Amino acid sequence: MRIAFLIIAISLLFLGGNINEQKSQLSEIDKKVQNLISKMTLEEKVGQMTQVTLQAVSKTQGTVDHKHLLDEDKLNEAITKYHVGSILNVFDVAHSLDYWHEIISKIQDIATKKTKLGIPIIYGIDAIHGANYALGATLFPQPLSQAASWNTELVKKIGAVTSLETRASGIPWNFYPVMDLGRQPLWPRLWETFGEDVHLACKMGKSYIKGAQGSNIGNKDKLAICLKHYVGYSFPINGRDRTPAWISERMLREYFLPPFQAGIEAGALTIMVNSSEVNGIPSHSDYHLLTEILRDELKFEGFVVSDWEDIARLHFRDKVAESPKEAVRMAVMAGVDMSMVPYDFSFYNLLVELVNEGSVPMLRIDEAVSRILKVKFMLGLFDNPYPQQELKEMFASKESTELNLEAARESIILTKNENEILPLSRNRKILITGPTANLLSVMNGGWTITWQGNEEKLYPKDKKTVLEAIKDKVGKNRVQYVEGISFGKEINIKKAVSEAKKSDAVILCLGENAYCESPGNIDDLTLDEIQLKFAKEIINAGKPVILVLLQGRPRLIEKIEKDVTAILLGFLPGMEGGIAIADILFGDVNPSGKLPITYPRKPNGIVHYDYKPIESFDVNTYNPQWAFGHGLSYTEYEFSNLTFDKNEISPDENLIVTVQVKNVGKIAGKEVVQLYLSDHYGTVSRPVKQLKGFEKVYLNPGESKTVTFSVTPYHLSFIGRDNKRIIEPGDFSITVGNLSGKFSVRK
Ligand code: BGC
C-alpha cells in the first residue's frame, strides 16, 4: 500500500500561473496536509472519510408543500462528535440559492468554529445537466443529448455554467460527469452517459471537465468534478440498474476504462465507484480495479468516494462480507477513501474499531485522509468555505439561457423527413397531441429539481413545453391540442383522431415519463402498447404525422416508424427543449444533431455501430432503426478531396487527413464531419469501423471548408490477445461521409 502525498504531477495541471509557482503552491498544500494529519486523532481522520446525506441531519423533508428543516443538534453531533468531513444531496427537493447559503453557512460555521482543527466540510451534489438542485438554475439537455450535439465547445461551456451555478449555491463538488459508456440501451441511466462510443465519450467528458474545473478548481466559479461510476456499471446484462455486468478484461480495457482514463488525464480529482458488480466482484471490494488499475496504471491521485450505501451493501446485499464490519474493511482496503454511508455513523464506528484492532493500518487511513484534505485545500475551502454572494448575480444569466437554447437546438436529431414535410409551413392547421406534448418534465428527465425529475408542479412557470412553444411561434389559432393519452392512460383518443382528420398535419409527441436510476427499470425496450396503439389510430386518420420523441433511451418504434412522415428525436433536450423543437419544426433552426448511440430496431437487435465482422457475416446483419452518427439536415452536404499526408506511416507516426465539406443546399447549417477508421486484419477481431475524429462545422449555402484530422498511434492501437494495448502493422481504411481511402502502417 502506498502512502499519499504524491499528487504533485497531475495536480499541476489544474493550477494557473507559471510552473514554478504551481509547484510551490502544491508543495505548500502537501506540507499543510501533512501538518494537519500530524495533529489529527484516529477519530478525526475516520470522520474525514465519512460522508452523510442531508437527510441524516434534517428535521423534515422538503416537499412540494413544505420547507426542508435542518436539525441543528444532529448536525452538531455529526460534525463535532463524529467529525464527518462531507455531506451530500438534498432532502428531497431543490433549494433556493438563499436557502443553500443558509444551510452551507451553518454547516461550515460548525466545522470551522466548533471543532479543534476547523477542517471545512466538502459538500457534494449531483449537478447532472446543470445545477439541478438549485431552484431556477440553467438546466441543459441531459448528457446523452449533449453528446448528440457532437459539439465539444458547447459541452465545455455547459461544464463552466454548471460549475458556476453549483458554486453559486455554495457547493464545490459535483458528482458528475458520468464516464460510463452507454452500451446497454435498456439501462435507465443511459441518458446520463455521452453515448455508446469510446472516442465521442472521451472527447465530451474531457471538454466538460475543462469547462467545469478550468485551470484551477480553487477559482470561485469552478469546482471539483467526480468521474463515475468506476467501472462497468453501465453494462448490466439484464439492463436493470445495479445488476451484474460480465466484462472481460480485454473489453474493459478496450471500451470501459478509456473514458475514465481520459477523465483522469483531464484533471479529475475524485472518482465514484460502480454501485454494482463486475465479473462477480462487487466493485467496492475490488482491489484490482480500485488500486491496481486505478492507482498503479491510470495514475489517479485524487480520492475515491463510494456510491450510496454501497459499503454496507457488500454485506446486506452482495453477501461478500459476512458482517458490516468486514464490509468496511474490504472496501477501505480495496481502495475506497470516503464512504457515502449515508444515513448513520456505522462506517465511522466500525472503521475506528478496525484500526484499533489492527485490521486496517493507520497508513491506509493517512493515505485516504491526505487525498481528501488535499482536494479541500485545492478547492480553497480552508481559505473560505462559505458561499460567495457575488456568484448569485451571475446565476441563471441571460447568456446561460441562450447557451442552453443553442445546446437544445444542436442536440435534437432529425431522423426522418419524407417528402421534405419539415420544415412545416406556418399557415398549416396543426394538431398537437400525445403525452409528452405539454410537460416540461419529459424534456428534462431525472435529476431535475427532484431525484426522479417528475414533479411537474415544481417546474419553472416561464419555460415552454413543446405545445406552448409552438403556439408562441405560429399563433394559438393555428394549433389545436388534444392530449389523447397520458402515460399509461387513455384520455380522449377519439377526439384526438377526429381533430387529426380536420388538420393538415399532426405533431405526435411520444416518449417516456421522467425517471432516474432503478425506478426507471424496464423489461422491454419497445415503446409501451398504449402509445403505439394511439400512434396507429392517429396515423389512420390519414394526415401526415410528425413524430416527436422525448425519452431517455431509444424506445423501439419499428411498428409505427414507416407510417409517420417525419421524426424528431429529442431525447432529453432540457428546459429550452420546447422552443428548440418548435424552431426546428418550423425551420427557424436547421437541425444538426447526430445519434450518439445506435437506435435499435428490434428488441434483441442490440448491436453497436462498431460491431465485429462476424456480426454482419452470413445471415447476420447490422440493421438498426438508425445507425450511430445518423442525423438529417434541411440542407445537403457534399464531401470531396479526402487526402492523407502519407500512404504509409510507421507505428509511432501520426497520419494527417484532410477532407473538404461543402454545403450544396440552399440554407445555412452545421454538419458533423465524422472520421471512421477500419483495421483490415488483426490478431484480435477488429470492429468494422471506429470513430476516431469528428468536427462540427458551420457552412453557409455554397460554402466549403477543409477539415483536418490527425490519426494518432493511439487511434491505431487496440487491446491484444495478452490484454495489453498494441499496434499491429498492416492496412487500414479511413471513411468520411461517402469517401474512403487506404493507408498502411509498416515497421
Ligand atoms: C447514484 C450516484 C449519485 C449518488 C448520490 C447514487 O444513487 O448512483 O450517481 O451520485 O446516488 O446522489
Side-chain angles (χ1 to χ4, degrees), residues 90 126 175 195-196 216 220 243 279 294 592 605 705 742:
V90 288
D126 297 277
F175 304 129
E196 79 184 31
N216 184 351
K220 65 170 190 275
T243 55
N279 303 336
L294 184 62
S592 64
K705 278 187 184 149
K742 253 169 64 176

Side-chain angles (χ1 to χ4, degrees), residues 99 400 414 416 499 568:
Y99 187 57
S400 304
L414 176 65
K416 176 175 182 180
E499 287 301 329
L568 265 197

Side-chain angles (χ1 to χ4, degrees), residues 88 126 175 189 228-229 242 272 307-308 340 447 517:
L88 86 151
D126 297 277
F175 304 129
R189 306 191 73 170
K228 66 188 190 183
H229 308 76
R242 292 184 165 84
M272 189 185 294
D307 200 349
W308 191 268
M340 191 184 285
W447 302 122
E517 300 183 36

Side-chain angles (χ1 to χ4, degrees), residues 51 53 88-90 124-126 128 133 174-176 178 180 189 192 226 228-229 233 241-242 272-273 275 306-310 313 340 447 451 516-517:
Q51 184 187 54
T53 186
L88 86 151
N89 214 4
V90 288
I125 202 89
D126 297 277
I128 309 298
Y133 284 148
N174 183 4
F175 304 129
Y176 184 73
V178 170
D180 301 311
R189 306 191 73 170
E192 293 181 56
C226 181
K228 66 188 190 183
H229 308 76
Y233 179 39
D241 192 31
R242 292 184 165 84
M272 189 185 294
V273 184
S275 199
S306 82
D307 200 349
W308 191 268
E309 220 181 3
D310 279 326
R313 284 175 183 160
M340 191 184 285
W447 302 122
W451 176 45
C516 197
E517 300 183 36

